Amino acid sequence: TVYTGYIEKSSSGTGVYNVLRFFQGAAGSATGMIGTGGSTTGNTAFQNTFVVGTQTAHSLVLASNDTGRVWINSSGNVGIGTSSPAEKLHVTAGSSLPVRLVSSGYSGIEFHNTNGTWAVYIGTENGSNGARYNSAGSAHTWYNNSAAAMTLNSTGLGIGTTSPSNLLHLKASTNPVMRLEGASDSAYVDYNGTRLQLSAGGGAMYFVTGNSEKVRIDSSGNVGIGTTSPQTALHLIGNMTVGNSTYSRPALTATNWGYSASY
């Protein structure tokens, strides 16, 4: 093999380094090295390896275009885009996308326990554009400000509870429990332990079967059966059965002081 140049340590023992060392200042306040490790008296982990690093409590910096790009500090934290990495891997990208993962199969991140057991996967489906979240545990829990907010297990989805007992289990310490909001109005469902309350906000409440409205309660509290415009507290369009008899409309008209019937 032809080399442009090389540095060789004549000793073949493992008790020496074969490196170039770089000193900052006469006192060597920062020391860098590059070469092969072989020390039995210094850091024995460097034996039979190629080493680029520092020998003092200073960061190792990888630079391009005279600008630092990657920092490895004295604690072993790696910073990409930051010179002060706070964690083992700290990525700062400003307004750009910090990380891009590309794979022909699954493209994501797996999280393992300290014993190496797979625990959680977050990424894409195998070879597709779909998102995938998977856990080896029996439940998935999402937290808000360190408090459990939503849990999905084999029984169902719990919001406000970590132990859902139905396919959808909603629990709240304040009312209402569920709110449905449209472009101009909202409705909610509330249960306070003694009553179930359905509210249509400022509009009417419809009851639909077979994709057709059957009962309406308007904003005045009038109930219409067979009509979308109830004019009284109870407004019936159609036949009514009382006991074993069927009456054709208008079978019964009632007021708050009495009643009259026509047959």
Side-chain angles (χ1 to χ4, degrees):
T1 303
V2 178
Y3 299 97
T4 302
Y6 68 93
I7 300 173
E8 181 180 358
K9 184 70 175 179
S10 59
S11 173
S12 60
T14 59
V16 294
Y17 285 105
N18 185 22
V19 298
L20 289 176
R21 300 180 71 191
F22 302 87
F23 293 88
Q24 175 67 35
S29 59
T31 304
M33 64 178 181
I34 180 171
T36 57
S39 174
T40 58
T41 57
N43 192 334
T44 58
F46 291 163
Q47 291 183 15
N48 301 316
T49 61
F50 183 79
V51 181
V52 177
T54 66
Q55 291 183 304
T56 54
H58 294 81
S59 296
L60 173 66
V61 183
L62 302 181
S64 67
N65 195 26
D66 201 30
T67 301
R69 306 300 184 185
V70 180
W71 284 261
I72 306 175
N73 66 19
S74 59
S75 298
N77 293 348
V78 179
I80 301 176
T82 175
S83 60
S84 303
E87 306 295 341
K88 285 301 180 183
L89 178 60
H90 186 161
V91 180
T92 299
S95 59
S96 302
L97 184 69
V99 178
R100 174 174 294 183
L101 304 176
V102 180
S103 172
S104 59
Y106 290 100
S107 182
I109 301 176
E110 275 192 355
F111 299 88
H112 292 243
N113 295 320
T114 54
N115 60 5
T117 304
W118 168 80
V120 175
Y121 169 82
I122 301 175
T124 64
E125 285 284 2
N126 187 13
S128 73
N129 294 326
R132 182 185 180 94
Y133 171 81
N134 196 12
S135 171
S138 59
H140 312 267
T141 302
W142 288 261
Y143 287 81
N144 179 29
N145 195 25
S146 299
M150 183 170 66
T151 297
L152 176 66
N153 61 20
S154 58
T155 301
L157 177 65
I159 300 177
T161 176
T162 57
S163 303
S165 55
N166 299 95
L167 190 60
L168 178 61
H169 186 162
L170 307 180
K171 182 178 180 179
S173 58
T174 58
N175 301 324
V177 173
M178 182 174 67
R179 180 180 295 272
L180 305 175
E181 187 167 349
S184 59
D185 211 338
S186 62
Y188 64 84
V189 180
D190 176 29
Y191 177 69
N192 68 356
T194 60
R195 75 171 189 273
L196 176 66
Q197 179 177 335
L198 306 178
S199 174
M205 183 179 296
Y206 311 150
F207 297 86
V208 177
T209 63
N211 203 33
S212 175
E213 180 183 332
K214 299 300 189 293
V215 179
R216 172 179 295 216
I217 304 175
D218 66 16
S219 58
S220 299
N222 293 339
V223 179
I225 302 176
T227 176
T228 60
S229 302
Q231 302 301 308
T232 56
L234 177 61
H235 187 163
L236 171 68
I237 301 295
N239 296 334
M240 180 179 68
T241 298
V242 178
N244 295 324
S245 302
T246 299
Y247 303 93
S248 299
R249 53 185 169 88
L252 179 67
T253 300
T255 67
N256 58 2
W257 51 267
Y259 69 92
S260 62
S262 59
Y263 303 96

